[in-house]
Amino acid sequence: MTQATLPPSTPSDDTPPRVLLGPQRTIITAPAELDRFGDTGRVAVITAGWQEREAEDDDLAEALGGRTLNLRLHARCEVVFAQDRELFAAHRKRQDRLRQMQELYNVRLDHALGAALALSQRSEPPEVLAPELDAAVDAIRTIDDGHLARIQEVHADFQHRVKPDERPALTRQREELCRLVQQCTAVAVAGGHVSTLLNRMRLLDMTACLRGRPIVAWSAGAMVMTERVILFHDRPPEGPGNSELLDAGLGLVPGVVALPHATLRLRTDDLRRMSLKSRRHSPAACVILDGGDGVTWHQGRLTARPQTRVIRRDGHMVHVDSWLRGDVPWDAQGGTTA
Amino acid sequence: MILSIHQFERRPLLDSSSVDAFLANRTFPIIEGLHATFVFRGEAERVNLRHWVYGLPAEQPFKRILGTDLWFLVIDLPKRSRVEYKLEVVRGGNGQWQLDPLNPRIAHDPFGANSVCQGDGYEPPEWTEPDPDARQGQLVDAMLPNTPWGQSRPLTLYLPARYRETRRYPLLVVHDGGDYLRYARLKTVLDNLIHRLEVQPVIVALTHPKDRLVEYPNDPRHAAFIVEHVLPFVESRFPLYKVPAARCLMGASFGGVAALSTAWRNPGVFGRLLLQSGSFAFTDIGEQKRGPAFNQVVRFMNEFRENPGRPSDKVYVSCGTYESLIYENRSMVPFLQSTGMEVRYDEARDGHNWENWRDRLQVGLSWLFPGPLWMVYE
């Protein structure tokens, strides 16, 4: 594993390692990553992204040596909703609001991304074109930032009005979860429906529970660990969509945009789109998390599994290790003005 | 490239056994690049290709190969074309329309069946075939009493696999529901597209008209049936979102007119429309020439074009390029866009038929109700 330091804004700390992996369907690396932590105790498993099927975890339990404890976040939330209908109604209302906001955000995003992509195809001299393209990327970033700020206002309003921390049905589950996590030496977070996974983890306040434990998370689980959850798919049947910001993640791994199944879902040969993605999320690194890929965040450092790549500012993908080695300075890779 | 049939014609000896040999181990029509060769074997006075490709002569005569009972016709067929047809075999002065006996590919519709010619590059989409891995939704029959026609009307409900009352679903109202199920494999398509995460799990209300030519072209009773009977019925019994963005009206041909006119009469109710080969006939001046069945359609369309309002928010329109309605559907696109609605339009080299409408469902439904594919990262 190659080591390098992320930008100085990232605090160095003594938190346990957090590993983000690609999909585990064909290349299974999660057990080896958990073994690297050294302690072979029980592993708390979160499969809430599988929704109603979260308990169907036999294969996962077997892959992790049968030492798993499924925290059943999805089912727990259903219990909470059944016991506290007021909370359920408020939660559903918030989700409706967020869904509407997402649709409106997408209208703005569509135009802004369209402008940036159109500019990126122009052939004017770089000294004329570059500032315009920079401004177009800035506009996208402003839309993303504004959207995230409004989402956080909605969450804050929910917190203020509904006071989930004071609701017995919920606090009972939170306390029990923290006890269970304390009995485990590590946590594994599987993929699935990223929005459901994020919602359930947030409602059950899992960030606080998880802080002191090593974490291995893959696919949607990896996305949720980061600071911003970015949805993307260039090949859905209805045509390429616009990569969109869903919400803030749990923020347990800073400076990374997790892109699971990227080779399958992204048109990686379309350098204009790839470049735009890199510049839009800069200074965060857009990390490709295909099968076998992975990065580890530990003590303020990011290390990568061999072959794991990031999207460079010019749209090409390069190995994280060469990127982190500083072959090209961080500012030039991620861009600080875009 | 010399076509197989022309190579055969040039043989010095043509007899029954050479015809047998030619027909053996071939699929018909013979597709060679952009050429389709239709073949018929048998005694007849004439053989004609009868098809529904607007722009080609409706009757295309076959040529008989001298000394044989083998007839053929070569037509140009653009890539990815799909053409439904019959053969007209004339014997004793009487023409009889029949399926192509050499072609096992058949499409069914309410009027019977047609043979299907699949041009180079056309493949039936794999999601139209039953997928053993896809969990199946459920069809439930219901009866709506006291409809605006004074009678009860049947309604079929599709509930997606893993349906749960604790969830909420969008609603798709489908005109000619029985035909969509029978001829466009709607249930299989929904099961598959939902399984593939391409379309949201959706509750579907499939309506069954009594006299669609009367009920569909802007009949106020039909609009009232949908909005005052179907909608309250399903919204009171199933967990639906109950917002315009989660309600879609869908229909093909006259059913497209019914969907559009119902939304037009009830703005703000249906945020999504899926209109396939809509019979959107209109006149700019003079009389319409499509026959009496279209009088009411044209009256509605002319009124709609004069005063469109904003019947919906997001509209998917599709039409076959071999349909006579292609002009009307193409001209609808900028018109619908001018009302402020978001419009997506798709064309395919196909005709006015159910398999064309089936093949467009993936893009149409996934655009209107995109599935969790966007959200799922396993």
Side-chain angles (χ1 to χ4, degrees):
Chain A
M1 302 273 272
T2 308
Q3 296 203 342
T5 307
L6 271 179
S9 60
T10 307
S12 177
D13 56 37
D14 57 358
T15 53
R18 288 150 189 173
V19 182
L20 308 184
L21 300 175
Q24 296 293 297
R25 196 171 294 165
T26 52
I27 305 174
I28 299 169
T29 52
E33 292 293 341
L34 285 163
D35 288 344
R36 279 208 304 132
F37 301 151
D39 195 326
T40 55
R42 297 188 85 183
V43 178
V45 169
I46 295 173
T47 55
W50 302 354
Q51 299 174 314
E52 288 88 353
R53 294 176 293 120
E54 81 174 340
E56 299 171 17
D57 63 351
D58 291 349
D59 290 347
L60 178 60
E62 189 183 333
L64 298 181
R67 52 185 169 132
T68 57
L69 172 65
N70 195 322
L71 297 179
R72 304 272 179 97
L73 301 193
H74 195 273
R76 286 175 190 277
C77 285
E78 294 302 309
V79 170
V80 170
F81 289 148
Q83 291 173 345
D84 188 341
R85 301 305 291 176
E86 191 180 88
L87 174 68
F88 173 65
H91 174 80
R92 185 165 263 193
K93 193 173 171 190
R94 176 179 64 167
Q95 294 310 112
D96 286 345
R97 173 85 184 272
L98 291 173
R99 203 172 288 112
Q100 289 171 335
M101 286 166 57
Q102 197 73 14
E103 192 158 338
L104 298 180
Y105 154 75
N106 265 307
V107 173
R108 299 179 68 206
L109 188 62
D110 190 45
H111 288 274
L113 280 168
L117 284 169
L119 286 172
S120 69
Q121 293 182 81
R122 302 282 299 208
S123 55
E124 279 81 355
E127 65 272 20
V128 180
L129 185 56
E132 299 297 333
L133 190 52
D134 285 347
V137 175
D138 268 345
I140 298 167
R141 292 164 61 96
T142 301
I143 290 172
D144 283 344
D145 292 346
H147 181 52
L148 186 57
R150 283 185 290 280
I151 287 172
Q152 285 172 329
E153 282 171 20
V154 171
H155 291 321
D157 179 61
F158 179 83
Q159 204 70 19
H160 175 71
R161 281 188 310 100
V162 185
K163 297 184 172 41
D165 302 342
E166 299 171 15
R167 292 184 170 270
L170 189 56
T171 52
R172 270 197 304 274
Q173 295 290 350
R174 287 177 171 180
E175 286 162 11
E176 189 182 337
L177 280 166
C178 279
R179 273 198 305 278
L180 291 173
V181 172
Q182 290 303 314
Q183 295 167 17
C184 297
T185 54
V187 179
V189 186
H193 194 291
V194 68
S195 178
T196 301
L197 178 62
L198 180 62
N199 288 341
R200 303 286 156 134
M201 290 186 76
R202 181 180 281 134
L203 188 67
L204 292 165
D205 198 21
M206 292 306 292
T207 315
C209 275
L210 300 185
R211 277 200 193 282
R213 288 285 175 273
I215 301 170
V216 173
W218 56 91
S219 294
M223 297 165 83
V224 165
M225 291 298 127
T226 64
E227 293 166 308
R228 290 186 177 196
V229 176
I230 306 297
L231 307 177
F232 61 100
H233 205 317
D234 289 347
R235 295 190 177 94
E238 68 270 24
N242 293 325
S243 174
E244 61 187 274
L245 169 64
L246 175 70
D247 201 335
L250 302 182
L252 293 170
V253 177
V256 167
V257 170
L259 303 173
H261 297 279
T263 305
L264 186 72
R265 297 173 76 110
L266 289 176
R267 296 196 328 221
T268 53
D269 57 339
D270 187 338
L271 295 182
R272 290 181 300 112
R273 288 175 77 96
M274 294 287 279
S275 168
L276 194 55
K277 194 176 295 298
S278 172
R279 299 183 62 183
R280 174 181 172 187
H281 301 301
S282 163
C286 292
V287 177
I288 305 291
L289 289 176
D290 288 333
D293 291 342
V295 290
T296 300
W297 174 253
H298 192 203
Q299 296 178 334
R301 287 176 179 278
L302 192 72
T303 56
R305 290 180 62 84
Q307 308 304 317
T308 304
R309 295 165 297 171
V310 295
I311 307 173
R312 212 167 54 182
R313 183 184 168 90
D314 63 4
H316 288 282
M317 295 182 291
V318 296
H319 291 146
V320 176
D321 50 3
S322 71
W323 187 68
L324 288 172
R325 245 190 341 258
D327 292 352
V328 181
W330 175 275
D331 286 358
Q333 295 284 10
T336 53
T337 57
Chain B
M1 178 176 67
I2 300 175
L3 299 180
S4 311
I5 194 72
H6 296 319
Q7 288 176 8
F8 177 72
E9 269 189 303
R10 292 174 188 180
R11 290 189 189 179
L13 178 65
L14 291 173
D15 57 14
S16 179
S17 60
S18 61
V19 172
D20 290 342
F22 177 77
L23 295 180
N25 303 319
R26 274 199 168 84
T27 57
F28 297 92
I30 305 167
I31 302 299
E32 293 165 301
L34 300 182
H35 305 284
T37 304
F38 296 82
V39 174
F40 175 76
R41 185 183 196 183
E43 289 304 326
E45 291 150 21
R46 291 194 311 279
V47 179
N48 293 312
L49 178 70
R50 292 288 192 166
H51 59 81
W52 290 267
V53 177
Y54 186 71
L56 293 179
E59 175 186 306
Q60 302 223 40
F62 280 47
K63 176 187 167 189
R64 184 171 189 164
I65 298 179
L66 281 177
T68 73
D69 57 355
L70 196 66
W71 301 72
F72 75 93
L73 168 71
V74 179
I75 66 168
D76 291 345
L77 198 60
K79 276 184 178 291
R80 296 180 299 282
S81 291
R82 186 185 162 284
V83 172
E84 296 196 5
Y85 68 97
K86 279 195 170 81
L87 301 184
E88 183 188 23
V89 180
V90 182
R91 294 184 180 108
N94 294 319
Q96 187 175 16
W97 292 34
Q98 62 176 64
L99 296 172
D100 182 346
L102 294 173
N103 181 1
R105 293 194 188 95
I106 292 170
H108 295 272
D109 64 23
F111 307 104
N114 292 313
S115 294
V116 179
C117 174
Q118 298 178 352
D120 185 32
Y122 174 84
E123 288 285 342
E126 79 275 15
W127 45 264
T128 63
E129 296 295 331
D131 176 353
D133 290 338
R135 290 196 184 217
Q136 297 211 7
Q138 190 186 355
L139 292 176
V140 181
D141 287 323
M143 189 62 78
L144 300 186
N146 306 318
T147 68
W149 295 282
Q151 318 149 320
S152 296
R153 281 284 170 99
L155 186 72
T156 306
L157 281 312
Y158 169 85
L159 305 180
R162 295 197 176 102
Y163 166 78
R164 279 177 174 75
E165 290 188 354
T166 51
R167 287 200 164 197
R168 284 178 297 171
Y169 299 87
L171 173 68
L172 175 67
V173 178
V174 177
H175 291 85
D176 298 305
D179 289 343
Y180 263 107
L181 290 172
R182 275 186 293 276
Y183 309 122
R185 295 189 172 188
L186 182 59
K187 181 174 179 299
T188 299
V189 168
L190 287 166
D191 286 346
N192 288 348
L193 297 181
I194 290 169
H195 169 72
R196 293 157 61 122
L197 308 177
E198 294 174 2
V199 170
Q200 275 182 58
V202 62
I203 290 177
V204 184
L206 301 122
T207 64
H208 308 281
K210 280 252 191 304
D211 185 352
R212 62 197 296 281
L213 296 184
V214 172
E215 295 168 16
Y216 280 1
N218 196 29
D219 186 328
R221 291 170 299 179
H222 175 75
F225 170 65
I226 297 292
V227 173
E228 295 165 20
H229 293 258
V230 173
L231 215 50
F233 179 84
V234 289
E235 290 194 341
S236 65
R237 284 165 177 78
F238 299 99
L240 296 162
Y241 276 112
K242 300 182 189 175
V243 294
R247 292 191 198 110
C248 180
L249 286 174
M250 166 172 147
S253 192
F254 266 52
V257 178
L260 178 63
S261 63
T262 300
W264 180 67
R265 284 175 172 273
N266 298 277
V269 177
F270 299 98
R272 304 284 184 267
L273 298 178
L274 199 161
L275 310 175
Q276 300 195 293
S277 304
S279 303
F280 301 133
F282 59 86
T283 55
D284 289 311
I285 190 168
E287 297 295 314
Q288 66 94 6
K289 298 181 177 62
R290 288 181 178 269
F294 274 80
N295 286 340
Q296 192 57 29
V297 173
V298 172
R299 207 166 292 133
F300 162 66
M301 286 304 296
N302 286 353
E303 192 177 347
F304 172 67
R305 281 157 50 85
E306 197 63 36
N307 178 26
R310 196 170 187 274
S312 190
D313 298 320
K314 203 168 174 181
V315 188
Y316 178 82
V317 180
S318 70
C319 193
T321 53
Y322 301 155
E323 297 187 49
S324 69
L325 289 160
I326 187 69
Y327 161 76
E328 285 84 352
N329 276 270
R330 281 177 180 159
S331 67
M332 275 289 276
V333 177
F335 182 74
L336 293 174
Q337 284 169 331
S338 74
T339 67
M341 295 190 288
E342 190 179 355
V343 182
R344 173 157 180 172
Y345 175 64
D346 278 335
E347 288 185 357
R349 289 175 177 145
D350 207 327
H352 195 78
N353 62 66
W354 286 96
E355 293 195 0
N356 176 15
W357 302 330
R358 176 200 66 187
D359 289 359
R360 310 277 84 73
L361 288 173
Q362 182 193 41
V363 173
L365 289 173
S366 65
W367 187 67
L368 293 171
F369 291 132
L373 191 62
W374 196 247
M375 290 278 189
V376 173
Y377 306 76
E378 289 283 5

